[in-house]
Amino acid sequence: MPAESAPVGRRERNKQQKLERIVAAAAELFSERGVDEVTTQQIADAADIGTGTLFLYAKTKGELLLLVQNSHYADALERGRAASADARTPLDGMMALATPIIECNRVQVENGRTYLREMVFGDPTEPHHAAALAIVGETEQALAETLSRLASIPAAEASALARVVSSIMFLTMASSDAEVDVTQIVEGVRGQISAILPR
């Protein structure tokens, strides 16, 4: 007979409820105004908590953005994995993985750019930053697996190429102006990946 999990205590429930309120408030405000136009005080007020409590969950506004966005990027990666399963060529497999991530990044352009900046330059000791880097690692692993499967590339070479593809994707997203749409970014990434794939 399987062991029953212990009931969640009131303190843990309260912490979870506060976290959910923080994420909901930050997501709404960031979506409406962009991360640069929102203060931590506004997020705390919208979540009905004090700023001191807010900083227990995320120490900076950048960390709050990571907290909000990480789940969106993880979902985009899963959509990309599912799409790449049907790909017939290495380039199509790479793009099937990359496209949902690019789309996710461009939902709110400034938030997307800030997310990438925080992911690269944020505090590596912060848990939300570590989670963002884990998503990058999972993306590179999925890219490497796709290359191995569709191009018969040895694992070590596939991993190195996957890191280059990941760099192309993130740098192109970060450097694209607000006027550049998803289709243009996807085509730019596709052209660069095509140039480096083995013939």
Side-chain angles (χ1 to χ4, degrees):
M1 184 170 165
E4 292 183 25
S5 58
V8 178
R10 183 176 11 188
R11 183 173 179 188
E12 284 305 310
R13 279 196 312 272
N14 286 341
K15 282 176 67 176
Q16 184 59 37
Q17 288 168 354
K18 283 179 187 170
L19 177 60
E20 289 169 3
R21 291 200 317 264
I22 290 166
V23 170
E28 183 175 345
L29 289 168
F30 289 159
S31 175
E32 287 174 1
R33 304 180 197 169
V35 68
D36 293 336
E37 300 302 319
V38 176
T39 67
T40 52
Q41 184 64 57
Q42 289 168 330
I43 295 168
D45 290 345
D48 196 26
I49 59 169
T51 51
T53 301
L54 177 67
F55 292 134
L56 294 174
Y57 292 85
K59 292 181 181 175
T60 66
K61 197 165 51 168
E63 278 291 308
L64 275 169
L65 181 65
L66 292 172
L67 171 64
V68 168
Q69 293 289 83
N70 281 343
S71 63
H72 298 306
Y73 279 78
D75 290 345
L77 174 57
E78 288 312 306
R79 289 194 303 278
R81 278 187 172 140
S84 72
D86 297 328
R88 299 272 186 240
T89 69
L91 181 58
D92 287 344
M94 300 292 97
M95 294 314 301
L97 276 162
T99 299
I101 295 170
I102 294 167
E103 291 168 345
C104 177
N105 181 260
R106 300 301 279 190
V107 168
Q108 211 287 358
V109 174
E110 287 309 314
N111 290 352
R113 293 170 89 170
T114 302
Y115 178 84
L116 296 175
R117 185 177 65 235
E118 287 295 325
M119 186 181 66
V120 174
F121 298 110
D123 182 349
T125 65
E126 290 295 329
H128 310 305
H129 180 266
L133 292 180
I135 294 166
V136 174
E138 290 172 28
T139 302
E140 290 176 1
Q141 181 180 353
L143 290 165
E145 289 167 358
T146 300
L147 281 167
S148 291
R149 178 172 55 86
L150 295 173
S152 302
I153 296 174
E157 184 182 343
S159 291
L161 267 173
R163 180 155 279 204
V164 174
V165 168
S166 175
S167 298
I168 287 169
M169 183 172 57
F170 287 113
L171 186 58
T172 304
M173 289 188 296
S175 63
S176 297
D177 293 334
E179 296 76 30
V180 179
D181 66 20
V182 169
T183 303
Q184 292 170 300
I185 295 173
V186 167
E187 287 308 308
V189 169
R190 185 181 186 90
Q192 293 174 76
I193 293 174
S194 177
I196 65 163
L197 286 179
R199 304 285 179 210

